[in-house]
Amino acid sequence: DQPDLYVYQIAERSNEEIDEMNILRSTMDCFADSIETLVQKMNFPANETYSIVDGKKSPKLTNGVSCRPFVKGDSIVYTVALASIIAKVTRDKIMCDDIHSRYPQYGFDSHYGYSTKEHIEAIHKYGASPVHRMSCKPTKKRPYEVDCKLYDRTFY
């Protein structure tokens, strides 16, 4: 039995925010923002709304909506799988279209920012760009070496 309507809300954090907060807190913040914004936009009654997020932890929601973590939820819960697909496609599109057009030397259109051999080699060759997360191992000791405009939208 599938619902007739699926709605979603996307939340993003910049690479600087992720570096400052860490990836888990950033993810929890995005989960919370998405759930709370969607509940408000759709005018769902908070006390009757229940949310599930993929993983071991759930965000702290301020609007009274119940939320529970579900390990491997994207392989078991249909709506969690849909959310996972939307998140990945959105992130990959940002990396491929927006970020690659600004920093083509890194090859974001082929590795989408994931830690591939080609991506690591580009970081070694060109240094980190302003969109790289400096808390990641390959960039920790590599300052920005690319003269380019800071891009403030990294999706997680």
Side-chain angles (χ1 to χ4, degrees), residues 9-11 13 24-40 51 53 57-63 65 67 156:
Q9 177 68 39
I10 294 174
R13 292 297 176 270
L24 178 61
R25 277 193 49 219
S26 299
T27 301
M28 292 298 117
D29 273 7
C30 283
F31 282 164
D33 283 358
S34 293
I35 294 165
E36 290 174 346
T37 301
L38 196 57
V39 167
Q40 183 180 12
S51 58
V53 297
K57 296 184 181 265
S58 62
K60 295 190 182 352
L61 302 177
T62 60
N63 63 355
V65 171
C67 185
Y156 286 94

Side-chain angles (χ1 to χ4, degrees), residues 138-156:
T139 56
K140 272 189 177 172
K141 296 180 181 172
R142 296 186 171 278
Y144 298 146
E145 295 176 18
V146 178
D147 182 23
C148 39
K149 210 181 222 182
L150 181 63
Y151 186 71
D152 65 356
R153 194 174 93 182
T154 303
F155 180 78
Y156 286 94

Side-chain angles (χ1 to χ4, degrees), residues 3-75:
D4 294 328
L5 173 71
Y6 293 95
V7 293
Y8 65 93
Q9 177 68 39
I10 294 174
E12 306 172 6
R13 292 297 176 270
S14 70
N15 54 314
E16 290 98 348
E17 289 172 304
I18 295 168
D19 284 341
E20 184 180 313
M21 300 169 76
N22 78 41
I23 191 68
L24 178 61
R25 277 193 49 219
S26 299
T27 301
M28 292 298 117
D29 273 7
C30 283
F31 282 164
D33 283 358
S34 293
I35 294 165
E36 290 174 346
T37 301
L38 196 57
V39 167
Q40 183 180 12
K41 269 186 180 177
M42 299 303 295
N43 206 22
F44 294 144
N47 62 336
E48 296 176 22
T49 304
Y50 185 79
S51 58
I52 301 171
V53 297
D54 193 28
K56 294 179 182 179
K57 296 184 181 265
S58 62
K60 295 190 182 352
L61 302 177
T62 60
N63 63 355
V65 171
S66 296
C67 185
R68 95 169 254 233
F70 199 112
V71 176
K72 304 268 186 211
D74 60 345
S75 63

Side-chain angles (χ1 to χ4, degrees), residues 106 117-128 138 142 145:
Y106 291 94
K117 180 182 175 194
E118 294 77 18
H119 189 185
I120 302 304
E121 287 173 353
I123 292 169
H124 285 279
K125 183 175 181 180
Y126 302 110
R142 296 186 171 278
E145 295 176 18

